[in-house]
Amino acid sequence: MSELTLLVLQLGFLLLLWVFVFAIVYALRSDLFGQRVRKLQPDAAAASAGAAPSASATAPTAAVSKPAPAPTGGGGDATSENASRLVITSGAKSGAEFPLGRDEITIGRSSDSAIIIRDDYTSTHHARLMLWNGRWMIQDLDSTNGTFLNGSRVTVPTPIPLGATVKVGATTFELRR
Amino acid sequence: MTDRSAARAAERAPATGSVRRIRMPQKLRNLELGLLIVACVINAGAIVLVQLGALGRIDTQLVLLGAGLSALVFGLHIAMRFVARDADPFLLPVATVLNGLGIAMIYRIDIAYGDAGWDSAAVRQIVWSVIAIVAALATILLIRNHRTLFRYTYLSGLIAIVLLLLPLVPGLGQTRGGARVWVGIGDLVTFQPGEIAKIALAVFFAGYLVRNRDSLSMVGRTFLGMRFPRGRDLGPLLVVWALSMAVIVFQRDLGTALLYFGLFLVMLYVATSRLSWVVLGLSLFLAGAIIASQTLDYVNGRFQNWLNAFDPAVYDAQGGSFQLVQGLFGLANGGLIGTGLGQGRPDLTPVPQSDYIIASLGEELGLAGLFAILALYVLFVARGFRIGFAGQDDFGKLLGVGLSFVVALQVFIVVGGVTRVIPLTGLTTPFLAAGGSSLVANWIIVALLLRLSDTVRNHPRLVIDG
């Protein structure tokens, strides 16, 4: 083995080590630098436009305090196809996200709930989200203070439109793409 | 007929549902598989380069042994496809590369010493790696949910203390290199129980702090802008401090004491977010260490070696700075890209395969290689912290942070000691250094972190405290 060959092999080995390190760093990029924001905005715009075209101008405020009237059209309903996450829009964990799978999501104060909300207005088993024929429905579980979809109290299992505001206690959330 | 087709459709619907659910996790496992293949190529390449550099030919025997080890790692990977498919995909490849680089370097030292067969530390290290990976596999299979460990909080505390005291038992304990931290029967099988004790201690601290952190963080007097705890809450801190000091005095092991105490302080800080605990704890430890350096000869010697390493009197003294300085010379000889695997003289430093493996690697792989190794440690620890942060329950959070911090602190103590940043203390470099107990302990840590990350991703939950 000539010295030159060994040197080339050594450099190749060091390069391989660093390739390994950077392969991991590259795979971790979303963890290190956060999710790409660019992709989010057209989605959110499409969601609000699809759900409530008339309310899209007031959408940012509607999400927080002034609930828009519930859209009646079925086209904007959140289904297992077009909704992938639940986003908290106000309350203590505003901005937090929760992935939507195919399992039902229970909301309440009890620790076996999927989304645990510990405030004075939430019942132990407050409400649940479930897939019904591929559509996301919200059902109130006889809670004391009620569950509100776009400002109106939910009495029977109701389909949730994409981007519509659901209020449980002091927390509001939406289903998004 | 329509009934049957409807039934078939109903059957198909849940089937597609489950396929959709596992698609994402298998992506993680596939990523892990790809990285593992690269990791095994790196490990095989390191051994081949050592042989080319030191022997000038390729000896297939050790390559085959290494291949057996790789097969076992892939076995662990396949097992995880079934029992922990949502686990973190980066921990296993990183640990594999570090373990393999360690084996290659130990093998290189064996060649320099002329050891072969069962005398060879590399063969023993491979056997220990097999035991360690099997232990990791057993941990993943046995502990299906980390919350079961929460039940055994006080039991693991007891186990930790028993393990710590074990080397002091006459007839069982052995003294090596001045430190009484080994147990063994004769010279045949020796073990450092302190390495396993650090896992038990992490479990104990996590469980204890989850149970008691309110009284530790909420009450107390404010002084200089920091809230200091009440006297009665200081109990656990003082107990752990006394334990660390006892390790220094009776087992003559400064590094382990620093490791345990640092682990406790960080977990306390994470649990209570009170800086005052860290300030109190660090000042306690520094006071203890300064007193120890004045009264205990071996601690004083360590400080002398550190501060006046290049003083000829210290250099030539028995137990002086000869080893430390040789390690530094080795690092300097390596330079930027190293002498090449198998082409340096790392064997000039005493114990180059365990305490000084970082210096040996630094000599043959150079600064570039050493930084790659440190980057791998950074990634490992960062993943561990990430798993801790993402955890849903407080116990899992604390355990994840504690376990990964203990790896980070151990790397810092060893590398800091070898590079003369802090006084040298005898600890093993995680995954790299020759030593069975350390390998087993660190692979169990990998298994626990994998289990934690699997639980985190498997049960998406959101907690909103109003």
Side-chain angles (χ1 to χ4, degrees):
Chain A
M1 265 304 141
S2 75
E3 284 211 357
L4 184 66
T5 327
L6 285 175
L7 179 67
V8 170
L9 284 175
Q10 164 81 0
L11 289 178
F13 182 74
L14 288 177
L15 197 68
L16 184 63
L17 261 183
W18 279 105
V19 165
F20 181 70
V21 169
F22 278 105
I24 295 179
V25 172
Y26 180 74
L28 282 175
R29 66 196 180 282
S30 66
D31 241 35
L32 295 173
F33 307 110
Q35 296 281 348
R36 275 164 60 192
V37 186
R38 197 160 41 123
K39 211 178 146 193
L40 219 151
Q41 282 160 341
D43 274 6
S48 58
S54 59
S56 64
T58 55
T61 48
V64 183
S65 55
K66 282 188 288 179
T72 47
D77 282 353
T79 64
S80 57
E81 299 297 320
N82 66 11
S84 69
R85 62 209 163 97
L86 180 158
V87 183
I88 310 292
T89 48
S90 73
K93 272 275 174 71
S94 181
E97 292 191 4
F98 188 85
L100 295 174
R102 297 187 69 86
D103 298 327
E104 70 165 37
I105 295 167
T106 50
I107 302 168
R109 211 203 300 231
S110 81
S111 58
D112 56 18
S113 310
I115 298 178
I116 305 169
I117 304 179
R118 295 197 194 101
D119 60 23
D120 292 343
Y121 315 104
T122 312
S123 301
T124 316
H125 300 284
H126 195 108
R128 67 174 172 175
L129 290 165
M130 55 193 174
L131 267 184
W132 206 16
N133 290 332
R135 285 197 299 177
W136 281 106
M137 313 281 281
I138 179 107
Q139 182 186 22
D140 187 74
L141 301 174
D142 264 347
S143 63
T144 313
N145 292 313
T147 306
F148 296 87
L149 175 63
N150 276 342
S152 50
R153 190 162 181 160
V154 175
T155 48
V156 293
T158 314
I160 312 171
L162 267 181
T165 304
V166 181
K167 185 163 184 281
V168 171
T171 304
T172 62
F173 61 84
E174 321 179 337
L175 301 190
R176 288 188 190 163
R177 253 173 235 277
Chain B
M1 196 62 203
T2 46
D3 275 359
R4 194 177 292 169
S5 63
R8 207 180 297 145
E11 260 173 26
R12 208 177 295 138
T16 51
S18 65
V19 166
R20 281 179 129 258
R21 203 189 307 166
I22 63 176
R23 197 200 290 152
M24 177 62 186
Q26 293 298 26
K27 216 193 263 173
L28 288 179
R29 294 275 73 78
N30 292 341
L31 178 61
E32 180 179 80
L33 181 63
L35 288 172
L36 270 182
I37 291 171
V38 181
C40 289
V41 169
I42 290 177
N43 291 348
I47 288 181
V48 167
L49 277 181
V50 163
Q51 291 176 341
L52 286 178
L55 300 171
R57 62 188 162 80
I58 294 178
D59 176 9
T60 47
Q61 197 192 358
L62 205 89
V63 179
L64 284 178
L65 275 177
L69 190 61
S70 309
L72 206 62
V73 173
F74 280 109
L76 185 57
H77 164 78
I78 291 167
M80 275 163 60
R81 280 188 180 254
F82 292 102
V83 297
R85 46 165 86 110
D86 293 340
D88 187 275
F90 305 106
L91 292 172
L92 190 56
V94 169
T96 307
V97 164
L98 290 172
N99 197 347
L101 284 179
I103 289 173
M105 186 40 74
I106 294 164
Y107 175 54
R108 190 261 166 280
I109 308 286
D110 281 343
I111 293 175
Y113 285 171
D115 291 339
W118 203 243
D119 286 338
S120 142
V123 174
R124 281 202 304 265
Q125 179 82 346
I126 289 177
V127 173
W128 273 115
S129 306
V130 169
I131 295 172
I133 294 171
V134 170
L137 185 61
T139 310
I140 287 191
L141 290 177
L142 286 178
I143 300 175
R144 286 306 179 88
N145 191 327
H146 64 272
R147 263 162 267 184
T148 49
L149 291 175
F150 187 54
R151 279 183 237 148
Y152 304 114
T153 301
Y154 291 100
L155 187 64
S156 47
L158 186 69
I159 289 173
I161 290 179
V162 168
L163 283 173
L164 271 180
L165 294 181
L166 217 50
L168 296 176
V169 176
L172 204 60
Q174 294 182 359
T175 306
R176 283 198 202 169
R180 194 178 174 87
V181 292
W182 299 82
V183 291
I185 305 139
D187 257 356
L188 199 62
V189 181
T190 51
F191 206 73
Q192 250 180 305
E195 290 281 346
I196 305 290
K198 71 185 180 188
I199 301 174
L201 271 182
V203 173
F204 168 67
F205 290 157
Y208 176 81
L209 290 171
V210 165
R211 287 186 167 91
N212 298 303
R213 65 171 170 188
D214 286 348
S215 67
L216 296 177
S217 69
M218 295 304 180
V219 290
R221 231 178 261 110
T222 308
F223 177 68
L224 284 177
M226 283 189 294
R227 191 187 294 275
F228 282 91
R230 291 181 303 185
R232 74 184 88 160
D233 294 329
L234 277 170
L237 182 78
L238 291 177
V239 167
V240 178
W241 178 76
L243 199 70
S244 312
M245 289 301 141
V247 168
I248 293 186
V249 174
F250 294 112
Q251 302 190 343
R252 304 166 60 85
D253 193 353
L254 198 62
T256 309
L258 185 57
L259 188 67
Y260 293 159
F261 200 64
L263 172 68
F264 180 65
L265 276 190
V266 163
M267 292 183 76
L268 197 57
Y269 176 62
V270 173
T272 61
S273 71
R274 290 268 171 270
L275 206 58
S276 54
W277 283 109
V278 180
V279 172
L280 264 177
L282 274 183
S283 36
L284 262 178
F285 189 83
L286 281 180
I290 288 169
I291 292 172
S293 73
Q294 297 302 317
T295 53
L296 295 171
D297 277 348
Y298 87 100
V299 182
N300 188 23
R302 292 281 166 83
F303 271 85
Q304 282 304 317
N305 290 349
W306 171 50
L307 293 172
N308 306 316
F310 290 95
D311 183 344
V314 178
Y315 179 80
D316 291 327
Q318 184 70 30
S321 64
F322 173 73
Q323 185 187 28
L324 181 63
V325 171
Q326 284 300 318
L328 291 175
F329 286 164
L331 285 172
N333 187 32
L336 187 62
I337 59 161
T339 58
L341 278 170
Q343 298 170 76
R345 292 302 306 276
D347 50 299
L348 293 178
T349 315
V351 288
Q353 75 278 42
S354 56
D355 286 9
Y356 270 74
I357 196 155
I358 279 291
S360 309
L361 283 163
E363 177 170 357
E364 302 218 318
L365 292 177
L367 189 70
L370 206 54
F371 270 33
I373 290 169
L374 291 180
L376 289 177
Y377 279 122
V378 167
L379 287 172
F380 184 90
V381 173
R383 284 321 284 171
F385 281 167
R386 179 82 200 163
I387 291 165
F389 286 143
Q392 302 293 343
D393 61 312
D394 294 337
F395 176 71
K397 268 178 201 280
L398 273 176
L399 188 61
V401 171
L403 288 177
S404 37
F405 179 75
V406 90
V407 174
L409 185 61
Q410 197 163 345
V411 172
F412 173 74
I413 292 173
V414 177
V415 179
V418 170
T419 52
R420 233 180 122 227
V421 174
I422 56 171
L424 181 76
T425 57
L427 271 184
T428 51
T429 325
F431 300 109
L432 284 176
S437 23
S438 164
L439 263 186
V440 172
N442 286 311
W443 274 101
I444 290 177
I445 288 179
V446 171
L448 287 176
L449 287 176
L450 287 173
R451 176 49 76 207
L452 274 173
S453 62
D454 181 54
T455 327
V456 167
R457 292 221 179 94
N458 218 352
H459 302 282
R461 295 201 317 164
L462 185 63
V463 180
I464 300 168
D465 286 304

